Amino acid sequence: MNIIVPIKQVPDLVEELEIDSSGKSLDQSSLKMKLSEFDDHALEEALILKEESGATVTAIAFDSEDVDKILFTAAAKGADKIIKVTGLENPSSHQAAQALAQVIKAMPHDLVMTGVQAVDDRDGQLAVLLAHYLGVPHVSVVTSVKVNGQNAVVSKEYGAGLVAEYEVKLPMVVGVQAARQSPRYVPVAKVRQTMKTATLEEVAATNITASTGSSIKKVSKPESGAGAEMIEGSAEEQASKIIQLLKDKGIK
Amino acid sequence: MSNHVFVIAEHIKGKFDDITFEMLGKGKELASSLGGELVAVLIGNNVKSMAAQLSAASKVICVESPQLENFSPEAHSKTVSAVVNAHKPKLVMTGYTSMGMEIGPAVSVDNSMSLVSFVSNVTASGGSVTAVSRLYGGKINVESQLEGEGFIVGMLPGSSPADLGRAAGTPSIEDFAAPDLSNLSIKFRQLIEPEDGDVDITTQDILVSVGRGIQSDENLPIVNELAAKLGGAVSCSRPLVDSKWMSKTRQVGKSGLKVKPKLYLALGISGAPEHIEGMKDAGLIIAVNSDPKAPIFDYAQYGVVGDIFDIIPALTGKL
């Protein structure tokens, strides 16, 4: 079985996000990038399947600064192949889907697993777009994948803990919400070791015609703290004020 | 090409989800600005009797088939694509929900229509449509001007009042023949209900809710202690469940539960749109976060910028 896992980097939201002078995009130089957490879960679920049934896992990402690091990290965690797609920087979801479909069509693929969403998905989520460019079925918001011959059994989450189970003919694309277990950790030393031994393949994206069908007019920060009255002071003072507040409101 | 606004109604186990009425309310305003009609699309098997609840729309397009009995990412996407292709509406509204996320991107590719997701607001004037997306965990708003002929928006639940879209009456119903659904790759197997047995966080008056700021499951005992002192229960945001630190039954938000306690004490929760969806209607929201710009402070009535590892023991010590 061949599992392809498209992964990408997104800004680390712990850091301050700055808007550039055009007012239409984030200041790229101020961003600290990290692997999108949902893609980390997709990779984890793929590696669990590999351990269960002996699959070949390929992680694939678009070329960008420091992308080699997330690909080598994927290899250090257990991905068998790593591929960098060149010629398309910061693609929109539609462009990424069309380009990945080209690359994946040329490879053996049974399961394509990627994160259910990313924090910067303005024009839709990759999994379903990619499934349509590939012409294969999709199930998104998935928390478990089991493979049974030519079929996969996937669990799709609705709200309030309700889950729908589907049986799907392979190949298919899965949008992973969460893996069955927490994504594994790999020490930096092992990643460095992998950088010396693993091969990073490169494939060029060509003739990408897809577009988002929209243009960005303005990027802004929502007025922060607009609603909240801020409680000042030391931690002890703040705690006392909170408790007074609960008494005043008849809660405690 | 029409100026109509189509709302893809979402229902499960015979009941419409609130997002359906939220979209109908917003859609009514947009249809009026665009000079078109508001149309609801109702898909299922033997669902026509539910159409009366969609009376905010001037028309309900009803597609029925045994293959559409249960939601299927494949059958439902194909059906919406066929309806959209036949009617060419100006704007299609889906939920940014588990169901809508399967439909919007599919219809976008099938019909070459623009798509914007994470949408909290849509405005239309002079035929031009603008959508605001809450990206980067709710930290950045991005305004998109939609281009081309037809647009799809994925609406974040809770971004528009549902009451505006609730109306009783007898809308006109138009039957639409389901597309060929004979050769599907996806088979629905079953709906699995959540396990019982844990505390029901939806009935608690006081919730002490923790997020990523807790850093490790080893830090959870101090939160349990605070909740016990307050006489409430502990709930959490999604990352804690994904990390298997807390059970799914304690999760607040989009893929978890919607809660309405008298007090929601949010500790180390930044306030991504998916979380806000589950708790914004709480009576009193108090948020503690080390990031003064955390979106949670937009929804809290009271905020504390500080370290939860200082505030939690301070609170517990005073109770």
Side-chain angles (χ1 to χ4, degrees):
Chain A
M1 185 173 56
N2 287 283
I3 308 177
I4 318 289
V5 186
I7 57 178
K8 78 167 181 178
Q9 297 188 100
V10 293
D12 189 342
L13 301 184
V14 170
E15 305 289 320
E16 183 73 9
L17 303 175
E18 299 295 341
I19 295 164
D20 73 9
S21 56
S22 75
K24 292 183 179 185
S25 87
L26 294 181
D27 177 3
Q28 300 297 321
S29 65
S30 74
L31 302 177
K32 186 181 157 220
M33 304 300 278
K34 59 167 218 172
L35 175 63
S36 174
E37 58 176 312
F38 298 101
D39 292 345
D40 202 8
H41 277 272
L43 179 62
E44 181 61 37
E45 189 72 11
L47 294 173
I48 295 171
L49 285 169
K50 176 185 167 177
E51 285 157 4
E52 281 176 353
S53 59
T56 300
V57 174
T58 304
I60 182 165
F62 287 94
D63 193 8
S64 64
E65 205 181 325
D66 290 336
V67 78
D68 293 11
K69 199 174 89 191
I70 66 162
L71 285 167
F72 281 114
T73 304
K77 284 181 174 183
D80 302 280
K81 282 174 74 180
I82 47 176
I83 300 177
K84 180 159 78 173
V85 181
T86 59
L88 197 59
E89 272 209 48
N90 287 324
S92 68
S93 300
H94 280 73
Q95 288 176 324
Q98 193 190 18
L100 286 169
Q102 275 181 11
V103 175
I104 292 170
K105 267 181 186 167
M107 305 161 51
H109 58 279
D110 301 296
L111 262 175
V112 180
M113 300 171 73
T114 191
V116 60
Q117 64 177 21
V119 293
D120 59 353
D121 278 342
R122 187 178 66 93
D123 64 316
Q125 288 54 56
L126 179 68
V128 180
L129 292 168
L130 176 54
H132 273 254
Y133 282 109
L134 279 172
V136 303
H138 53 87
V139 180
S140 211
V141 201
V142 165
T143 49
S144 158
V145 181
K146 302 262 165 73
V147 176
N148 181 5
Q150 281 310 297
N151 295 303
V153 174
V154 298
S155 298
K156 172 181 177 63
E157 268 198 3
Y158 293 117
L162 188 64
V163 168
E165 195 177 82
Y166 298 95
E167 187 172 319
V168 188
K169 269 186 220 152
L170 298 177
M172 75 171 299
V173 181
V174 179
V176 176
Q177 165 80 37
R180 276 174 272 167
Q181 67 187 40
S182 200
R184 65 197 64 192
Y185 169 79
V186 63
V188 177
K190 192 170 177 199
V191 177
R192 284 212 193 96
Q193 186 58 34
T194 307
M195 284 176 139
K196 290 178 197 147
T197 53
T199 313
L200 177 55
E201 290 178 36
E202 291 192 18
V203 181
T206 51
N207 297 322
I208 299 308
T209 52
S211 93
T212 61
S214 62
S215 58
I216 295 178
K217 273 173 73 178
K218 194 176 143 198
V219 170
S220 61
K221 295 187 183 185
E223 259 184 63
S224 202
E229 182 182 317
M230 302 313 278
I231 298 170
E232 311 288 345
S234 67
E236 290 296 324
E237 288 161 1
Q238 288 169 325
S240 297
K241 286 177 190 169
I242 290 174
I243 287 165
Q244 190 56 47
L245 195 61
L246 300 184
K247 284 183 181 150
D248 293 348
K249 305 256 175 194
I251 291 170
K252 191 70 201 169
Chain B
M1 184 66 201
S2 70
N3 284 324
H4 301 331
V5 175
F6 278 32
V7 166
I8 311 305
E10 286 191 17
H11 57 91
I12 193 158
K13 297 197 288 184
K15 198 171 169 286
F16 286 112
D17 192 284
D18 273 356
I19 185 70
T20 302
F21 302 110
E22 293 169 16
M23 293 192 291
L24 285 171
K26 184 47 118 179
K28 199 165 188 157
E29 170 197 319
L30 292 166
S32 146
S33 310
L34 291 166
E37 277 180 32
L38 176 64
V39 177
V41 180
L42 175 58
I43 297 169
N45 194 27
N46 301 319
V47 287
K48 206 168 281 177
S49 60
M50 295 172 75
Q53 296 172 59
L54 305 176
S55 295
S58 52
K59 185 169 81 180
V60 176
I61 292 178
C62 189
V63 195
E64 294 186 300
S65 157
Q67 303 279 17
L68 298 167
E69 169 93 36
N70 291 288
F71 179 83
S72 154
E74 183 181 26
H76 281 66
S77 299
K78 276 194 171 152
T79 302
V80 175
S81 271
V83 171
V84 167
N85 187 45
H87 288 271
K88 309 244 181 307
K90 176 100 172 174
L91 181 67
V92 177
M93 302 177 82
T94 68
Y96 189 70
T97 55
S98 189
M99 289 186 188
M101 283 167 86
E102 307 274 9
I103 294 174
V107 176
S108 166
V109 178
D110 286 351
N111 292 283
S112 303
M113 290 167 78
S114 320
L115 170 66
V116 181
S117 54
F118 285 105
V119 175
S120 62
N121 195 19
V122 185
T123 48
S125 77
S128 107
V129 177
T130 305
V132 178
S133 304
R134 288 183 72 84
L135 297 183
Y136 304 100
K139 286 190 153 186
I140 297 285
N141 284 342
V142 178
E143 234 178 275
S144 300
Q145 167 117 38
L146 290 155
E147 291 156 353
E149 294 290 299
F151 326 123
I152 306 161
V153 286
M155 299 298 298
L156 285 170
S159 46
S160 186
D163 284 346
L164 296 178
R166 288 188 213 276
T170 42
S172 74
I173 297 177
E174 181 184 311
D175 286 309
F176 185 94
D180 180 9
L181 301 172
S182 58
N183 213 352
L184 297 175
S185 303
I186 300 186
K187 199 168 104 195
F188 171 83
R189 295 214 338 190
Q190 58 173 333
L191 269 185
I192 303 165
E193 300 285 340
E195 286 171 36
D196 296 334
D198 194 13
V199 171
D200 181 359
I201 58 169
T202 65
T203 60
Q204 296 286 321
D205 282 341
I206 294 177
L207 285 177
V208 177
S209 209
V210 276
R212 218 189 284 270
I214 197 72
Q215 293 171 13
S216 158
D217 54 346
E218 287 168 14
N219 295 324
L220 285 172
I222 58 166
V223 182
N224 294 332
E225 196 188 344
L226 174 59
K229 281 270 172 81
L230 276 169
V234 179
S235 58
C236 65
S237 62
R238 188 192 46 74
L240 280 78
V241 176
D242 288 353
S243 302
K244 318 295 171 197
W245 296 348
M246 284 189 69
S247 127
K248 189 84 201 162
T249 50
R250 302 293 183 113
Q251 185 189 336
V252 173
K254 185 192 208 65
S255 54
L257 293 155
K258 289 187 177 53
V259 297
K260 244 179 165 173
K262 287 184 184 149
L263 169 66
Y264 191 82
L265 182 57
L267 305 171
I269 292 176
S270 66
E274 295 87 345
H275 185 76
I276 299 298
E277 200 180 312
M279 46 61 78
K280 64 179 175 42
D281 296 326
L284 175 66
I285 301 170
I286 303 176
V288 183
N289 203 290
S290 57
D291 177 4
K293 302 224 164 108
I296 190 79
F297 292 127
D298 295 340
Y299 300 89
Q301 284 89 50
Y302 294 91
V304 171
V305 175
D307 187 337
I308 59 169
F309 297 110
D310 295 333
I311 304 286
I312 294 171
L315 278 169
T316 307
K318 289 177 198 302
L319 284 161

